[in-house]
Amino acid sequence: MISLPAPLVTTREHVVRWAGDLRAHALELDADPEAIRRHLDLPAVRFLAGHEVPPDWQRAGDAAGAGPAHGLPTLERVVVSEELARGDAGMMLASPGASMCGALLGVLGSQEQRDWVYGRLAERPRWTCFALTEPERGSAIGEMTATLTPDGDGGYLLDGEKRYVGNAARADVGAVFARVAGTERLGVLAVLVDTADPGFRAEPLPTVGLRGAQLTHITLERVRVPAERVLGAHLPPTRRGMWSIVAVFNQLRPSVAAIALGIARATHDYVAEHRRLLRGRERETYEELGHRIDAARLLTYRAALAVDRRPAAGHLASAAKARACELAEDVTLAALGLFGPGARLDHPLLEKLARDARGVEFMEGTRNIQKLNLFQGLHTGKVGRP
């Protein structure tokens, strides 16, 4: 196992204690995604509300979500995500904070833009969203139809649709990708949007797994984007579109693997607690799954370290995400089998874990996409061969 630095060990000890609070409200949130608003004072939620904020930013006030801010490298995100997802992935994903929008700010944002976003997050618990995926087109940047039309004053008018965007119906600030009217691939920009502005509408979608994330359909009709909210204006065009998306996904993909890993561990723990007597093949299955969880954790930690050392090194993260998602599905389905017919009715938390495990597959690219990315790394020699 990878040895964690002392500060990270301390962080882990805290989040392990807090994870139980998330588990206590898992089924409540699954039934009502808005239940997260009743639990903003939980230590884990307060932590997540600021954990992507730069370390020199101090949140003000005594309201829920106030307190020290935490800037996390990839490995720390992985440790936090694994332990809190072991508590409940839905509660973790439903919590306010900078999340993916914060990662994008770290790649493309100017100091003024960071101040604008983090200043709002410092006032009270607020949600953000990251709007890339479009109906019928997914995240294929070459087929993106959301459009930025110059307004004549240095800004843009934003039109289009986005789909499957987590927390968008709750968000105060969104990062939206769109194509500048009349341009090709390099014309894609990311912009910051105030969701209270006219023309921005967000409607939650019905979902089965990870319901706390409240996936949303966004409609954008002539939403005004001032020049100061265009991300990456200080960078070359080649580093604003696909480059920024890849950079953000490289940072966050190990965390998605860690969420799947946390779901697998939670399920394994559930079996240990509720099926204490396992014999023969059942015992072998349980122990084999435990070994696979340990192996997936080591791969995920190594992937996180690779990205921390070199942000472009995302191929191992793809391997970790594909392996962890497959593992989460295998563990949850095997656990249901160990409890026999009627397990989904008799063990609602286990049934929820099985639904959530399937949901993680569709975060940050499906398994086929991850395998293609890994193959590219092997083919080009960017991933070491045995």
Side-chain angles (χ1 to χ4, degrees), residues 13-29 35-36 38-48 83-92 95 349:
E13 291 171 351
H14 283 295
V15 295
V16 166
R17 290 197 301 270
W18 301 337
D21 295 333
L22 303 186
R23 174 70 60 82
H25 301 288
L27 293 177
E28 176 190 359
L29 185 78
I36 188 64
R38 299 194 286 270
H39 303 296
L40 297 178
D41 59 338
L42 293 179
V45 177
R46 290 165 60 95
F47 177 75
L48 291 167
E83 296 300 341
L84 293 185
R86 188 182 185 186
D88 183 59
M91 285 286 289
M92 184 186 76
S95 295
L349 183 58

Side-chain angles (χ1 to χ4, degrees), residues 203-215:
E203 180 182 358
L205 298 167
T207 54
V208 175
L210 296 172
R211 298 193 68 240
Q214 202 173 67
L215 298 184

